[in-house]
Amino acid sequence: MGIRETFKQNLKFYRKRMGLTQERLSELCELNINYIAEIERASSKFPKPETVDKLAAVLNIRPSMLFDERGSPENIKESFARVYASSLEKKLKERIDREIENVCRMM
């Protein structure tokens, strides 16, 4: 996942966690609501460092949390699913291979 997608998901997560609409967040940060909407759509708009600081301050988080790939539960869930699926696939393949070996020995 790219930095824009990570930022978008984290911004949206922390905004909703605070119970803020895009409009209210834009008011508190003194930004245009369309700008907030564009950021959350991960369009070509990307905030300046000063804007990231404003957003983080209003959301009561460290600015780095907006860039952390494991920052929001959505991202954690997605990462966990990828790792777990890979591990599960490996274990299933090993088990199937063992069962095939057992069946072949019985013949």
Side-chain angles (χ1 to χ4, degrees):
M1 175 174 5
I3 194 166
R4 290 178 192 270
E5 185 66 22
T6 297
F7 187 89
K8 171 190 103 165
Q9 286 184 3
N10 289 341
L11 177 61
K12 192 180 293 187
F13 170 78
Y14 290 114
R15 175 181 60 77
K16 288 181 177 183
R17 185 180 77 170
M18 292 287 293
L20 300 174
T21 62
Q22 288 180 343
E23 183 175 15
R24 185 66 182 136
L25 179 61
S26 69
E27 290 168 359
L28 293 170
C29 291
E30 299 176 345
L31 298 167
N32 186 300
I33 186 171
N34 294 328
Y35 182 66
I36 298 292
E38 287 177 32
I39 293 171
E40 286 192 3
R41 278 196 305 272
S43 68
S44 60
K45 293 278 185 190
F46 201 75
K48 295 178 184 177
E50 300 80 17
T51 305
V52 172
D53 288 340
K54 279 184 186 180
L55 291 165
V58 168
L59 297 172
N60 199 29
I61 59 173
R62 294 183 318 278
S64 62
M65 292 174 74
L66 291 167
F67 297 96
D68 188 348
E69 288 183 7
R70 298 167 297 137
S72 74
E74 273 306 301
N75 294 338
I76 293 169
K77 183 174 79 174
E78 185 178 311
S79 296
F80 180 76
R82 275 195 309 269
V83 169
Y84 187 71
S86 175
S87 173
L88 184 59
E89 180 180 0
K90 181 180 175 186
K91 287 180 182 184
L92 285 172
K93 184 181 180 329
E94 289 170 359
R95 186 172 177 186
I96 289 169
D97 289 345
R98 278 194 312 269
E99 291 299 322
I100 290 171
E101 275 293 315
N102 290 340
V103 167
C104 288
R105 275 187 281 201
M106 295 176 147
M107 299 179 131

